[in-house]
Amino acid sequence: MTMRQRLIDPPAWTALIAVVAVVVVGLFVVPADRLQGQVQRIMYVHVPSAWIAYLAFFITFAASVRYLWRRDLAADRLAASSAEVGLVFTAVAIVTGSIWGKATWGVWWDWDPRLTTTALLLVIYAGYILIRGSIVDRDRRARAGAVIGIVGFANVPIVHFSVTWWRSLHQPPTIVRPGDPTIDHMLLGELLASVLAFSLLFLYLLNRRLELERARDEAEQALLMPS
Amino acid sequence: MLGDVAALAMKDVRIELRSPASVAGALTLGLVGLVVTGLAAGPDTARLRAIAPGLAWLSIVYAAITVGERLDRIDRSDDAFAVLWLSVRDRRAIFAGKIMALTLMLWTISLALLGTAVVLLNIDPSPVAVALIPLALIASIALAAGVVVVTSTVGGNSQRVLLLPVALLPLLAPTLLAASQATGALVAGTVDASLPWFGLLAAQAALFGGLGLLTYEHGAALE
């Protein structure tokens, strides 16, 4: 891709404009939460990041299953790329959650089950990337990655439902719960728009990461070809 | 398949009985951990009692990684794994056999370490503490299944000493949490409080075991 193509890359601009728009609306248009005040606005980054982390690791899981089933290297590339982008969003979710926690609970970190399990998720996928990076053989790297990707995803439901399984300090679900959401409709609209905008950003980053993975495979193939 | 599983498990148990480096080493490491933590945390017995279940189970998790890694390494030396791989009718038997052997070893290690912690910390266990025996068994199955799944994919790697704990400790964290909490509850005599943790351990064992059976043949395939 040339510099000119990069500058007029429509998916990049779409994602960028969407994210900037929801950030501006989240900071200056929608009112602050009546109880939590201004700090609640960080939820427009924290919640989408957490949602995308779940989505990314699910994609890694599904692509890993497909790789083991079909031996499809494209699926392996998708699994690896999604895990890496998901790891970034998990880190963003933890950092923004920590900032919110300091303002609300008075501490940067609390050994709350959901926080702790999200941190575990971060290290599981950091391990996934580390393991993939340490294996030179292409097929072996894909197989090891697929197994860890499948087993690691088994932890994701524990993250999501831990807030229900264990009594915790963390705010209980406000949207995905029985009955009407407890959040104000305007704030809910902004939150859903943020989720959509960050999803576009995720798709763009995933696509770029996939291009890198494809290029890496081509380079490895070229090195293996007899000159 | 059951005959293959039993034979493969006995192979690993026999290796361990002939040169008991893994279990003896893991037990020694666990004892060192208990004693050194006692010194580092100070002479406050109440505090030591509070952290003892977690400390004991953390030692057992490390033991699981160490013993599992050694079993895998022995199999991979001198192309023994290739012979094993080609000689069984159903390769899942290798996975199940490894879990069975590792469970037996971890059960031994966990009961010995938990017993030692009770003595060292002057804990007066409640009568229901006898339930630690089945608890240690279920936790050993969960640990063994998780360790075998991961060592089969990473075991042949030159950086496995670093990669195995990095990959396994977070995956086994729910097992560690459940085993520690259930142990604390049983020693205190509160059976009801331990029951949910028994359930979580059983779920972890089923999850790792089930996923392992489905993925072992792919993850552990020959180069």
Side-chain angles (χ1 to χ4, degrees):
Chain A
M1 190 182 273
T2 64
M3 184 60 80
R4 183 180 162 77
Q5 281 172 320
R6 275 186 195 151
L7 285 174
I8 54 166
D9 186 7
W13 282 107
T14 310
L16 183 68
I17 291 168
V19 169
V20 169
V22 293
V23 167
V24 169
V25 172
L27 283 176
F28 304 110
V29 179
V30 293
D33 184 79
R34 190 165 53 87
L35 295 174
Q36 296 181 27
Q38 299 294 340
V39 73
Q40 176 270 337
R41 295 181 194 278
I42 207 166
M43 288 296 114
Y44 303 129
V45 176
H46 173 72
V47 174
S49 301
W51 146 251
I52 286 165
Y54 284 61
L55 174 70
F57 297 144
F58 173 74
I59 291 172
T60 298
F61 167 76
S64 300
V65 171
R66 180 169 172 82
Y67 174 77
L68 285 188
W69 189 20
R70 298 278 185 193
R71 290 286 192 264
D72 177 5
L73 275 179
D76 176 63
R77 286 193 288 267
L78 177 62
S81 305
S82 191
E84 219 169 283
V85 180
L87 194 69
V88 173
F89 279 98
T90 309
V92 171
I94 289 177
V95 169
T96 51
S98 181
I99 294 167
W100 181 85
K102 176 66 177 168
T104 309
W105 300 334
V107 288
W108 291 107
W109 185 260
D110 187 88
W111 291 99
D112 162 81
R114 191 152 63 171
L115 287 180
T116 310
T117 323
T118 308
L120 283 174
L121 206 60
L122 182 86
V123 287
I124 285 173
Y125 283 91
Y128 169 89
I129 290 167
L130 201 64
I131 285 168
R132 285 188 65 96
S134 71
I135 302 173
V136 178
D137 180 78
R138 182 68 185 92
D139 184 48
R140 183 126 189 89
R141 180 165 72 224
R143 277 189 281 120
V147 172
I148 304 290
I150 291 169
V151 177
F153 185 73
N155 222 29
V156 175
I158 296 176
V159 174
H160 186 71
F161 293 111
S162 59
V163 74
T164 315
W165 290 348
W166 291 294
R167 281 186 192 172
S168 81
L169 190 64
H170 199 286
Q171 177 157 327
T174 48
I175 300 171
V176 184
R177 60 187 285 277
D180 285 339
T182 56
I183 189 171
D184 177 85
H185 285 171
M186 195 172 177
L187 271 58
L188 176 63
E190 164 62 4
L191 192 57
L192 294 177
S194 303
V195 169
L196 185 66
F198 276 78
S199 299
L200 289 174
L201 179 65
F202 166 70
L203 287 175
Y204 171 71
L205 291 174
L206 181 63
N207 194 36
R208 295 307 305 273
R209 185 61 190 79
L210 266 171
E211 282 173 20
L212 279 177
E213 201 64 23
R214 265 193 297 268
R216 179 184 168 164
D217 273 354
E218 283 168 12
E220 282 184 5
Q221 280 297 319
L223 281 173
L224 291 173
M225 294 279 276
S227 53
Chain B
M1 182 178 165
L2 285 177
D4 284 348
V5 172
L8 288 160
M10 278 311 297
K11 168 190 75 75
D12 283 339
V13 171
R14 218 174 274 130
I15 288 172
E16 185 56 31
L17 287 173
R18 283 179 187 162
S19 64
S22 299
V23 173
L27 269 175
T28 310
L29 180 68
L31 285 174
V32 168
L34 281 174
V35 172
V36 170
T37 307
L39 290 170
D44 182 352
T45 312
R47 193 165 66 165
L48 284 173
R49 283 177 188 163
I51 62 169
L55 178 64
W57 279 105
L58 187 60
S59 301
I60 296 161
V61 169
Y62 272 111
I65 295 171
T66 312
V67 178
E69 191 274 331
R70 182 174 182 251
L71 287 179
D72 186 78
R73 187 160 31 91
I74 290 170
D75 272 352
R76 286 176 196 274
S77 59
D78 300 327
D79 290 331
F81 190 67
V83 178
L84 208 60
W85 190 255
L86 297 171
S87 59
V88 290
R89 278 161 291 183
D90 185 341
R91 278 152 191 165
R92 288 174 300 182
I94 304 174
F95 176 72
K98 284 243 164 289
I99 290 186
M100 198 184 275
L102 190 53
T103 297
L104 274 175
M105 293 176 204
L106 293 178
W107 198 21
T108 308
I109 291 168
S110 54
L111 290 177
L113 277 181
L114 290 172
T116 308
V118 165
V119 173
L120 282 181
L121 300 172
N122 301 314
I123 296 169
D124 185 15
S126 74
V128 296
V130 73
L132 283 175
I133 297 169
L135 171 77
L137 177 62
I138 299 172
S140 298
I141 295 170
L143 291 174
V147 166
V148 175
V149 169
V150 176
T151 49
S152 66
T153 59
V154 182
N157 195 298
S158 59
Q159 296 177 48
R160 61 181 176 272
V161 175
L162 169 71
L163 293 177
L164 282 175
V166 166
L168 275 167
L169 283 175
L171 285 176
L172 295 175
T175 308
L176 174 65
L177 173 72
S180 306
Q181 294 295 320
T183 301
L186 286 175
V187 170
T190 49
V191 181
D192 287 352
S194 73
L195 292 178
W197 300 112
F198 267 91
L200 187 62
L201 281 174
Q204 283 272 302
L207 182 83
F208 286 137
L211 287 177
L213 282 174
L214 289 172
T215 61
Y216 183 77
E217 192 161 357
H218 307 283
L222 294 172
E223 301 288 339

